[in-house]
Structures are given as C-alpha cells and as structure tokens.
Amino acid sequence: MLTQWEQLDYGKQFTGTKKFLTVVPVVLFILTGIYTMYDTVHFLINAITLGFVLVPKLPQLHQVRLFNINKY
C-alpha cells in the first residue's frame, strides 16, 4: 500500500506538483520566522515541525515503512 505522496504523479520524483508541495512548508517556515521575530523557542518548534514534514518526502524514503506503519 502506497501513501498519498508516493501515489502522486505515479511515483515520479521532482515533478512540478511535488516541488510545489515541498516549497510551501519552507515558505511558511520562513514567514513564521519573520512573524515571530526569530524567537528561539518558536524557531526550534517550527524547525522540528519542518523536519517532520520534509523528511518523509525525500526520495530515499520512497516505500520505506518505519515501525511497520502502513505495511498492508
């Protein structure tokens, strides 16, 4: 069973849609940094959240299941 990200654009990497959906969280991260005036606590929380959003989208994690989640 594939995730929605893996099914997007028939599994092809670096398509326009996937690039857009990767850039949006980065832009939001930058905007929140500006809005919070680069407060350390908010910056760390947002950076960790950005990592949780972007790491699963990496091509190296295509069809990789951690802790057997979404195995079937």
Side-chain angles (χ1 to χ4, degrees):
M1 177 174 260
L2 298 174
T3 64
Q4 183 177 359
W5 182 260
E6 293 166 346
Q7 293 177 21
L8 193 62
D9 295 332
Y10 302 106
K12 294 180 184 174
Q13 297 296 324
F14 305 115
T15 60
T17 305
K18 286 190 175 185
K19 288 179 185 177
F20 175 77
L21 292 174
T22 302
V23 168
V24 168
V26 174
V27 170
L28 289 174
F29 172 73
I30 293 169
L31 290 175
T32 56
I34 293 169
Y35 180 74
T36 59
M37 295 181 217
Y38 301 104
D39 179 50
T40 306
V41 174
H42 291 104
F43 182 81
L44 289 175
I45 292 170
N46 288 329
I48 292 168
T49 305
L50 181 68
F52 279 125
V53 170
L54 291 183
V55 168
K57 294 180 179 182
L58 294 173
Q60 294 84 357
L61 294 177
H62 185 74
Q63 293 186 344
V64 173
R65 301 295 177 257
L66 300 176
F67 310 115
N68 289 328
I69 295 173
N70 206 14
K71 182 178 177 181
Y72 300 104

